[in-house]
Amino acid sequence: MLNKVIQIVTKRLLDREMMTIDIAQDELQFEEKPLLQAKTVRITGVDAVFIEKLVSGERDALFHQWFQLASSYGNKIELILFDSGEPWLQYKDIAAIPFAIFSNSGERLAHVSRNVICYHDIALLPSSSLLCKERDQLVTPLAKESLIQKQIEIWERL
């Protein structure tokens, strides 16, 4: 009997590791159930208000408790924007949020906060990402080479 219980629990844990759940931002109920069902929880249709709430640390207890619970359960949270993120998304917010952020077309957005973007910054980015940089940020030649090699596009803003 004990072996059967162990097998069932093990199977559920393995299934959870492989499962991804998509939840629309406007339907997010901050329930525990999706965190228990899937390792990866994608929040889709994310807008500026949601991003601002994450960055500002606004004390909506339920909102922040849910993300803390997700962290304690080892969930991977992904934010999918309702559009590309241009021009409303603040690049500094990308670096401030501890979750992966994607455009609605699937590109992972990344931002480096330093004035000079080096090779090691690019080496950490997944291929086909989108580097969001300010016009005054410099990119070293080795970093440029890595951007081309990894097929990372650059969005540049004043």
Side-chain angles (χ1 to χ4, degrees):
M1 180 67 167
L2 183 60
N3 281 341
K4 186 163 180 98
V5 171
I6 291 171
Q7 288 175 345
I8 291 170
V9 169
T10 302
K11 182 178 180 346
R12 285 190 184 172
L13 288 173
L14 290 173
D15 289 347
R16 178 184 181 271
E17 286 295 312
M18 305 307 284
M19 178 76 90
T20 298
I21 289 180
D22 290 356
I23 304 171
Q25 172 198 307
D26 56 354
E27 296 173 6
L28 188 59
Q29 298 295 312
F30 304 109
E31 297 173 330
E32 187 177 20
K33 185 177 179 181
L35 302 178
L36 295 171
Q37 290 178 326
K39 175 77 170 187
T40 303
V41 177
R42 285 191 198 125
I43 303 172
T44 61
V46 171
D47 61 16
V49 173
F50 191 90
I51 295 289
E52 179 59 30
K53 206 172 190 181
L54 276 173
V55 172
S56 72
E58 181 182 314
R59 291 295 136 208
D60 177 338
L62 186 59
F63 183 84
H64 289 286
Q65 284 173 0
W66 188 81
F67 286 104
Q68 289 173 344
L69 187 61
S71 176
S72 70
Y73 286 178
N75 290 94
K76 179 179 167 186
I77 303 292
E78 296 179 349
L79 306 177
I80 314 296
L81 303 177
F82 76 93
D83 68 357
S84 68
E86 279 295 324
W88 62 269
L89 183 64
Q90 299 297 311
Y91 289 169
K92 64 181 174 42
D93 292 347
I94 297 169
I97 294 173
F99 313 119
I101 301 174
F102 296 86
S103 71
N104 65 340
S105 57
E107 295 127 341
R108 173 131 186 217
L109 306 180
H111 175 70
V112 175
S113 299
R114 290 183 292 285
N115 291 333
V116 178
I117 299 171
C118 301
Y119 171 80
H120 73 274
D121 299 315
I122 304 307
L124 298 173
L125 300 178
S127 294
S128 301
S129 294
L130 189 65
L131 177 64
C132 303
K133 74 178 238 16
E134 307 296 335
R135 186 160 289 147
D136 62 347
Q137 287 182 293
L138 302 174
V139 180
T140 66
L142 196 53
K144 285 181 185 176
E145 186 179 309
S146 184
L147 286 167
I148 293 167
Q149 190 176 51
K150 293 178 84 172
Q151 299 177 335
I152 296 175
E153 186 181 342
I154 297 177
W155 276 353
E156 189 172 82
R157 209 187 263 172
L158 287 175

